[in-house]
Amino acid sequence: MGQGCLGTLLTFSLLLSTLDAPYAADVTRSGQPVFDRVVELVDEEFYDTTALDRFNAVARAQIDGKRHSISAASPPSDVDDAITSALASLRVSHTGRYKSDTIDYFELSDIFRFAIRDDLRRLFPPDGEVRYPGIGMVTAVDGGRRFVADVYDGSPAEKAGLLVGDEILSVDGLPYREIGSFAEKVGRSVEIRLRRHRDAAPISAKVQVERLRPLPMFERAIDESLALSEREGHKIGYVRLWTLSTRNGLDIVAEALATGRLKDAEGVIVDLRGRWGGGPADAAELFVGDTPSFRLVPRRGDATLANFRWRKPVVALIDKGTRSGLELFAYALRQNAIPLVGERSAGALLAGRAYVLPDDSLLELAVSDAVIDNGLRLEGIGIEPDRAVPFPLAYAAGKDPQREVAIGEMVRMLEAGTTGHAALSQEPAATR
């Protein structure tokens, strides 16, 4: 379960400038280095000191437990369970441990590359560039079965025809593993057995395995998601912001809207059903900002887009994957009366930081609260859509009912001649 980050550079500066003195906790050390380091980091760095008594009580229970007492001799599975239980007691987002057999580990390592920069070359030799073997899809378990939850635009999985909602049965005849199914297979194809429709016979797909670099892959996915389609005589653009953590993601979108593939769109669907958050707090200014668009035109060469603001209609998509910086983005759109379609957002708006643990697993920890305007917090609350549209994952066969409703809403707005932008911001109660 991923947790977004509200701008890694901002987060790191928050860490340096806002943390209180370390919390003095009377916790018996277990002698297990990974467990003890997690407890130490939480006590020293976690933003909410009021939760630490509860956390340390759970940690002590793990050390003193009658069935599984955590010690230097504890098996890894017991250590994993103990850490998970202790962190769960904090009851917040942006807090969890990730191991190198998961996609989240690699994506978060790249997103938090500044925070863990001293470990990058050791963890990802020889150059410190985060890479992992994969095909560009993410899965989720529903009812005891594993389904494709996301297919990154432009990925090998998309090119091979895998669809959201496909049930994954096996990879090369073995149970699916996020990393293990593709290890040592870069440059080769794997055979994925899947079921597209309930009770249908399994089918096979050959998918090329690539060595994926998370942030460049997300930029490619944002770029590849750009689409212009016609519906009822109207040209409607679409872009999916998989994350705001990439260096050039928003620039890719701005260029597409100004002079590229979406320049002729009468309105645009902004898909915020992302994987991660991150990014600048003012990212939504691209669609709701007041500053003028302008270019720098030199004597020779091409003009440079220095600032761009989209003034035409917008509809946004949100769901439980809309978290952190993307959740703040959605809130800014809501405050400007831009319709939100889909499901309630994650309610995961804190600032997190990553730490490398003694076994080289990754701890993400919430190190700062996030407060909007005059005391509004989205953490644990989320944002409700204006048009609630469920998205049953199992056997969806690539259908996207939320996107279809968003397109219908855009057509309605274009027919009515409305932009969806408010002249004045709404009150914070719009979060419901």
Side-chain angles (χ1 to χ4, degrees):
M1 180 176 64
Q3 308 286 342
C5 59
L6 187 55
T8 51
L9 294 179
L10 172 61
T11 295
F12 191 62
S13 66
L14 284 169
L15 174 78
L16 295 177
S17 62
T18 67
L19 292 178
D20 296 328
Y23 176 85
D26 181 19
V27 178
T28 304
R29 296 182 68 84
S30 71
Q32 209 295 321
V34 181
F35 181 87
D36 288 349
R37 181 58 174 155
V38 169
V39 173
E40 179 183 31
L41 284 168
V42 171
D43 283 331
E44 291 181 354
E45 313 288 14
F46 185 67
Y47 80 101
D48 183 6
T49 58
T50 65
L52 294 183
D53 284 342
R54 181 176 66 246
F55 168 80
N56 284 302
V58 174
R60 279 191 291 270
Q62 298 298 325
I63 296 170
D64 301 331
K66 293 182 175 59
R67 184 177 179 186
H68 298 298
S69 298
I70 299 303
S71 68
S74 294
S77 59
D78 286 356
V79 176
D80 293 348
D81 291 345
I83 291 173
T84 298
S85 295
L87 292 176
S89 73
L90 295 171
R91 303 170 189 168
V92 297
S93 67
H94 294 74
T95 298
R97 176 173 170 240
Y98 301 89
K99 300 176 73 173
S100 60
D101 58 353
T102 66
I103 292 172
D104 288 354
Y105 172 86
F106 293 93
E107 293 185 348
L108 284 173
S109 292
D110 214 8
I111 288 171
F112 283 113
R113 61 183 301 109
F114 179 78
I116 65 170
R117 61 195 181 282
D118 293 340
D119 293 289
L120 283 174
R121 288 187 179 274
R122 180 179 60 81
L123 293 174
F124 306 103
D127 55 5
E129 291 295 335
V130 181
R131 302 180 180 90
Y132 70 94
I135 60 174
M137 79 171 184
V138 180
T139 66
V141 175
D142 184 354
R145 300 182 180 185
R146 185 172 295 276
F147 297 92
V148 177
D150 278 317
V151 177
Y152 296 152
D153 296 283
S155 68
E158 183 192 52
K159 294 173 183 176
L162 270 66
L163 301 177
V164 169
D166 286 348
E167 181 187 356
I168 301 299
L169 303 174
S170 65
V171 179
D172 284 342
L174 298 173
Y176 168 82
R177 292 183 294 157
E178 291 189 16
I179 304 299
S181 290
F182 311 106
E184 310 299 330
K185 297 178 182 179
V186 173
R188 296 161 44 195
S189 292
V190 293
E191 182 183 27
I192 297 183
R193 294 281 286 173
L194 60 92
R195 182 176 286 111
R196 181 149 295 163
H197 302 284
R198 194 183 305 273
D199 300 325
I203 58 177
S204 294
K206 289 284 189 179
V207 189
Q208 186 83 2
V209 179
E210 292 184 359
R211 194 168 299 282
L212 302 173
R213 296 176 56 198
L215 290 183
M217 176 192 64
F218 280 127
E219 284 195 352
R220 179 178 70 178
I222 290 170
D223 185 58
E224 292 284 344
S225 77
L226 297 167
L228 184 65
S229 60
E230 187 167 321
R231 182 69 63 91
E232 298 185 28
H234 296 286
K235 294 180 179 179
I236 299 174
Y238 170 87
V239 60
R240 183 162 187 177
L241 288 172
W242 288 95
T243 178
L244 298 175
S245 296
T246 66
R247 181 186 298 272
N248 298 312
L250 287 173
D251 290 338
I252 290 170
V253 178
E255 289 283 355
L257 293 169
T259 60
R261 279 168 280 176
L262 302 184
K263 65 181 177 63
D264 295 326
E266 299 171 59
V268 65
I269 309 296
V270 181
D271 193 340
L272 304 178
R273 300 174 298 177
R275 276 283 287 165
W276 307 104
D282 62 351
E285 294 290 301
L286 175 60
F287 297 99
V288 298
D290 294 329
T291 56
S293 300
F294 71 97
R295 296 177 177 278
L296 299 174
V297 184
R299 178 174 176 175
R300 299 178 183 85
D302 296 331
T304 301
L305 182 65
N307 191 56
F308 179 77
R309 294 292 180 262
W310 177 259
R311 307 298 186 191
K312 300 176 187 177
V314 176
V315 175
L317 288 165
I318 62 171
D319 69 359
K320 61 185 178 182
T322 306
R323 62 183 64 251
S324 195
L326 286 173
E327 206 157 14
L328 184 60
F329 196 116
Y331 175 82
L333 298 185
R334 158 64 63 77
Q335 294 305 93
N336 284 270
I338 289 174
L340 305 180
V341 174
E343 299 168 291
R344 185 173 67 87
S345 62
L349 185 56
L350 295 173
R353 193 209 175 198
Y355 303 85
V356 178
L357 297 173
D359 65 346
D360 290 339
S361 61
L362 202 69
L363 174 67
E364 185 188 17
L365 190 63
V367 297
S368 181
D369 197 0
V371 184
I372 301 173
D373 293 329
N374 298 317
L376 175 67
R377 289 173 172 84
L378 296 181
E379 175 71 16
I381 300 172
I383 302 171
E384 292 286 351
D386 299 289
R387 291 284 305 277
V389 183
F391 191 152
L393 177 62
Y395 311 109
K399 295 178 181 177
D400 189 339
Q402 294 171 345
R403 184 171 173 178
E404 284 300 308
V405 170
I407 292 173
E409 177 66 15
M410 177 59 71
V411 170
R412 185 195 65 76
M413 291 167 59
L414 292 171
E415 293 288 347
T418 60
T419 66
H421 293 259
L424 297 173
S425 295
Q426 299 175 348
E427 292 300 312
T431 57
R432 291 199 293 273

